[in-house]
Amino acid sequence: MALVAPFLWQSSGGRMLSRHNRLLVPVLGVVLSLSAGPAPSSVAQTAPLPPLVQRYINGEHGAVAAALANELQSKQQTSAFRAELQRRIRDWSAPIAATFVLEASAAAFPVSPRDAVEMLALGRSRLAGNVTASFELDWHLAAIALLQGPPGRHGSLRPGFDNDWPSGRLVFDRIGLLAEIRIARDRFPHDARLTLAFGIANEQGLHQYSYTRAVVLANPERSRPTLIEDGATGRTVARVPTDGEAPAREQLETTVRAFEEVAMSGSVDLAPTAKLHLGWMERFRGRHEVALRLWRDVLETSKDRSTRFLAMVFSGRAFMETARWDEAAEMFRAALTLEPRAQSAAVPLAAVLLAQNRADDAARVIERSLEQAADARDPWWAYLRGAFDEWPNRLQALRANLR
Amino acid sequence: MKRPALALTLVVASLMSPPQAAQQPVFRTRADAVLVDVSVREGNRPVLGLLAADFELTDNKVGQAVRLAMRENSAPLDVTVVIDTSESIDPAVLAREAAKLLDVRSLLKSEDRFRVLAFDSVVREVTTAAELAPAPDFERRHTALWQALGAVLLQKTAPDRRRLTLVVTDGMDTISMIPPELLLFLADRSDTVVDLVRVGNQKWAGAQYGGDFGTSDIDRYFSWLLREVVERTGGGYYGIPSTGDSAEHLREAIQEFRSRYLLSYAPAGVSTGGWHEIKVRVKKPGRYTVVARKGYLRH
């Protein structure tokens, strides 16, 4: 326990312990006693790492998380610990703090995903210019992965994250996350990767309003909500919101601007991805020709299999929506040569064939798709819901870089 | 305002347009004949033994001469059960319902066929209950409801057979590439009757999907759209609580389906192209409930 007081004293800037700080003492006492090494004399960035973090870095994530979980029995303790940690964590090196928040903390106390991304986004800003490119990229992509989706039941990395409804929780969190990413963007307005992350997060936040958005964009002049009535009873069964009620329009415009910025940045790595996303947004705005031109650019410049697949599927969808059946079928078929089991291409292809009065061919496409579905992987899933496959790998890379 | 939503989206407008090079009608026909599955009930009891002369059928308000292509109970059935195995499904409920649904196979005749599809992020055919377990990867656990419905609507029914599809789901789509409005286009051209059973889910009592799942405008729109899709096939949309029994519904649906009449007529006095509204009634005195598809699209 003697080791704890100086630690708290240092971390609170030499002030006397507050009432909250005093509540922390037994908690931190246990946590810190897990450490094999001596307690640090300072938590400044240049000083030895706090033992808790050191243990975490040594790979003892489970022990650290369990200790925290066991000790934080009351809301008061949790709240106090969280406040203290947030004070200290600002003095730790940003990557360690961010990774700690991402991994060790999630099982134990309520640092939300929003906090985690804040650490990543703001920490990344602090690190800009003095870290290696690969580390920066890994860190950044981890932030994107977090924005794009939870690890779900991949299981071990952050078990507390998905305790109930991973996708639903993320819908709420994403709104908060955007605010934090925006802060980082303001500090580094010309960082294309951060802008792209912002756009993607924004776009994915839009998806829950996709129908609203389509309606609003199809008829922007509409001033009254549209009522859908039951033909038989005349009863109103649904009410489609107006422009004013739909939150998506402004968000869509913001997202478009982010993607445009990256698309025009000249970045060989990022521009095709930005154009892919920008095209999808333009399609939502009803600008199908603009979208198709962007996706043609993507197909001419990108060698990435998933990006090319999506450009083909998106083009097929745009052709389908404008009744250009032959071109739609051609695009979906091309996409299936890249990902033969992807139903995001197979089912619309069958629908197009049906529209061409080729019902037998359509049925054959469906039957083949059902046969091949067991091991299907579909880039569309990652586009729409998050790059889940990337997530554990990125965190592993982060951890490795910390050693 | 009647069904204005159909005109609202670009998607619908374009998909409802006829293709440039029309060839043969896509809707199930024999030569120039149109086939219509018709359910006739009096109260909860199916009405059996009706003759062709007992039916009155109009095609775009023009009376048609109908014949019974198949009498009730005479045609072998193709029964397809489509089960939602996505993230939202409670594994205990899934296991319970899957076992019971697979059990329904025993009610079928030897000449009938039984097929099970499951869907999460993908739609797939399954042959054992074990294959209905939730997918291990999170990315496989989304809900491709639109694609599942699209797949069954795009399948074809073999000649001289009748196809009933029962979809059991607790949710709304989260991952499909196809727009839901496309299902209306497919339903108008499909020859299967689709019943959809939406199983309640206690988790949705919380703040899922923006806190308004089940009551938001979008959700209500999708609910309306699903109902419209299945009704266009001549099927129905049913809601049961999470403790309900979807297999019981399937048993009743099969029984009801067997009692349906398959009417056939060669359209006369109506234009060949476009949407044809079908109305069927029973001429005999009585308080009948007649269910049939709402129409078909003919090029």
Side-chain angles (χ1 to χ4, degrees):
Chain A
M1 191 61 72
L3 296 174
V4 175
F7 188 64
L8 286 175
W9 177 261
Q10 293 282 352
S11 67
S12 56
R15 290 177 280 108
M16 290 298 291
L17 293 176
S18 69
R19 189 165 61 84
H20 275 197
N21 291 140
R22 278 195 291 276
L23 288 171
L24 280 173
V25 171
V27 174
L28 290 175
V30 173
V31 171
L32 295 174
S33 69
L34 286 167
S35 170
S41 57
S42 167
V43 292
Q45 204 161 342
T46 53
L49 293 167
L52 178 62
V53 179
Q54 188 60 59
R55 290 209 64 174
Y56 159 72
I57 290 171
N58 291 341
E60 300 173 62
H61 315 105
V64 172
L68 288 168
N70 288 337
E71 286 305 313
L72 300 175
Q73 299 290 342
S74 70
K75 277 188 179 177
Q76 204 174 20
Q77 283 179 323
T78 302
S79 171
F81 182 84
R82 177 191 163 110
E84 179 62 18
L85 181 77
Q86 286 185 331
R87 259 197 304 281
R88 295 182 190 195
I89 218 165
R90 294 182 194 287
D91 295 328
W92 298 349
S93 81
I96 289 171
T99 316
F100 175 84
V101 169
L102 276 169
E103 294 193 30
S105 68
F109 69 100
V111 169
S112 69
R114 172 183 156 169
D115 294 329
V117 171
E118 180 183 2
M119 295 305 302
L120 282 168
L122 297 180
R124 184 233 165 276
S125 303
R126 281 191 232 160
L127 274 185
N130 59 16
V131 292
T132 65
S134 67
F135 177 82
E136 191 181 352
L137 182 61
D138 281 337
W139 188 16
H140 176 68
L141 290 175
I144 294 175
L146 183 61
L147 287 168
Q148 287 187 322
R153 283 142 194 158
H154 278 300
S156 59
L157 283 175
R158 301 180 57 244
F161 198 108
D162 62 338
N163 53 3
D164 189 12
W165 281 92
S167 54
R169 287 164 60 92
L170 204 72
V171 168
F172 300 119
D173 291 332
R174 195 172 279 131
I175 295 166
L177 301 179
L178 285 170
E180 311 305 339
I181 292 290
R182 193 187 294 270
I183 295 169
R185 277 192 75 217
D186 288 345
R187 293 181 59 181
F188 296 90
H190 303 299
D191 186 309
R193 281 175 297 204
L194 209 48
T195 305
L196 181 61
F198 173 78
I200 291 172
N202 230 336
E203 179 188 356
Q204 295 198 344
L206 277 167
H207 274 289
Q208 63 177 317
Y209 300 116
S210 58
Y211 174 70
T212 307
R213 180 177 58 221
V215 168
V216 166
L217 297 176
N219 188 356
E221 302 305 317
R222 198 161 40 80
S223 59
R224 287 187 304 175
T226 298
L227 303 179
I228 298 169
E229 295 174 355
D230 185 312
T233 66
R235 190 172 55 91
T236 299
V237 294
R239 178 175 165 280
V240 180
T242 66
D243 284 26
E245 294 168 290
R249 191 175 182 83
E250 185 183 341
Q251 196 177 347
L252 175 68
E253 297 303 325
T254 306
T255 307
V256 165
R257 281 196 295 276
F259 289 141
E260 281 175 342
E261 188 179 325
V262 181
M264 294 166 64
S265 70
S267 165
V268 176
D269 294 335
L270 302 181
T273 304
K275 287 180 180 177
L276 182 76
H277 286 264
L278 179 59
W280 195 238
M281 295 294 97
E282 294 288 14
R283 189 196 66 86
F284 272 121
R285 297 162 118 189
R287 301 173 63 185
H288 285 60
E289 285 307 319
V290 175
L292 285 164
R293 201 161 49 242
L294 285 162
W295 293 324
R296 268 198 299 275
D297 283 353
V298 171
L299 290 172
E300 285 170 9
T301 55
S302 175
K303 290 185 168 55
D304 179 74
R305 183 189 180 95
S306 294
T307 303
R308 293 179 62 79
F309 170 86
L310 288 166
M312 291 168 181
V313 169
F314 290 176
S315 299
R317 172 83 183 259
F319 284 132
M320 190 168 82
E321 289 169 357
T322 47
R324 293 161 68 176
W325 307 113
D326 291 343
E327 290 154 294
E330 184 185 342
M331 278 297 165
F332 288 130
R333 277 208 190 86
L336 283 171
T337 61
L338 291 180
E339 297 286 352
R341 299 176 178 206
Q343 292 183 339
S344 63
V347 176
L349 171 61
V352 168
L353 291 172
L354 187 69
Q356 293 176 309
N357 292 334
R358 296 170 59 187
D360 290 341
D361 290 339
R364 270 193 288 275
V365 167
I366 290 299
E367 291 301 334
R368 195 180 314 129
S369 180
L370 293 175
E371 287 167 13
Q372 296 179 331
D375 302 317
R377 283 287 178 274
D378 195 327
W380 166 245
W381 301 342
Y383 184 93
L384 187 67
R385 306 290 298 189
F388 301 104
D389 280 345
E390 287 296 300
W391 167 247
N393 296 336
R394 292 300 173 190
L395 284 178
Q396 291 293 355
L398 277 175
R399 188 184 292 160
N401 269 298
L402 286 170
R403 291 178 178 147
Chain B
M1 209 179 324
K2 302 299 180 193
R3 294 178 13 193
L6 296 184
L8 287 176
T9 61
L10 297 170
V11 172
V12 176
S14 61
L15 288 174
M16 300 302 267
S17 306
Q20 300 302 310
Q23 299 164 13
Q24 295 298 314
V26 181
F27 181 68
R28 187 184 180 197
T29 63
R30 289 179 183 158
D32 286 331
V34 175
L35 301 174
V36 184
D37 259 304
V38 181
S39 160
V40 184
R41 303 178 76 87
E42 194 167 23
N44 288 326
R45 185 178 56 83
V47 177
L48 307 178
L50 295 176
L51 304 173
D54 295 322
F55 290 96
E56 180 181 277
L57 184 148
T58 60
D59 182 324
N60 277 350
K61 299 183 179 173
V62 178
Q64 303 292 326
V66 299
R67 67 179 187 86
L68 278 180
M70 290 182 198
R71 295 190 66 85
E72 71 277 14
N73 288 314
S74 66
L77 302 187
D78 288 346
V79 177
T80 304
V81 177
V82 186
I83 303 175
D84 183 342
T85 60
S86 64
E87 170 197 20
S88 59
I89 290 275
D90 181 335
V93 171
L94 175 61
R96 183 193 72 206
E97 290 302 294
K100 285 193 288 188
L101 285 166
L102 293 178
D103 228 23
V104 173
R105 187 197 309 249
S106 62
L107 297 180
L108 298 178
K109 298 176 182 175
S110 59
E111 65 268 30
D112 295 334
R113 295 174 188 155
F114 188 71
R115 191 176 193 191
V116 181
L117 304 181
F119 69 97
D120 35 40
S121 299
V122 292
V123 196
R124 62 197 186 278
E125 180 153 19
V126 298
T127 53
T128 64
E131 294 173 79
L132 290 166
D137 297 337
F138 180 73
E139 63 178 6
R140 286 288 299 262
R141 291 187 178 180
H142 301 305
T143 310
L145 176 58
W146 309 148
Q147 281 175 196
L149 280 165
V152 297
L153 293 170
L154 282 156
Q155 289 176 312
K156 286 198 77 178
T157 304
D160 301 322
R161 303 184 70 86
R162 302 165 79 186
R163 189 157 60 101
L164 170 68
T165 301
L166 178 80
V167 181
V168 181
T169 179
D170 73 341
M172 279 299 171
D173 192 280
T174 59
I175 200 77
S176 288
M177 160 57 71
I178 62 169
E181 291 81 4
L182 179 67
L183 299 174
L184 298 171
F185 170 88
L186 300 179
D188 288 341
R189 291 157 176 77
S190 176
D191 53 17
T192 185
V193 172
V194 180
D195 275 359
L196 189 142
V197 175
R198 194 164 173 189
V199 184
N201 188 320
Q202 292 181 347
K203 285 182 179 178
W204 290 344
Q208 190 47 225
Y209 292 86
D212 49 11
F213 190 93
T215 57
S216 72
D217 292 328
I218 293 171
D219 183 65
R220 290 165 69 200
Y221 168 70
F222 286 150
S223 295
W224 169 83
L225 190 135
L226 277 176
R227 192 181 299 271
E228 183 71 16
V229 166
V230 297
E231 287 180 358
R232 285 190 187 199
T233 69
Y237 180 101
Y238 308 90
I240 63 172
S242 60
T243 53
D245 186 348
S246 56
E248 179 60 29
H249 178 87
L250 177 59
R251 279 189 287 272
E252 288 174 8
I254 291 172
Q255 196 174 21
E256 192 272 343
F257 197 62
R258 282 199 194 286
S259 72
R260 287 189 175 207
Y261 298 84
L262 188 63
L263 302 182
S264 167
Y265 70 97
V270 290
S271 65
T272 53
W275 175 251
H276 288 239
E277 183 188 43
I278 295 174
K279 286 195 173 166
V280 183
R281 76 174 193 91
V282 174
K283 292 189 278 189
K284 285 175 70 173
R287 297 172 65 85
Y288 302 115
T289 304
V290 180
V291 177
R293 61 182 306 118
K294 294 181 174 180
Y296 66 100
L297 195 71
R298 194 173 180 125
H299 303 305

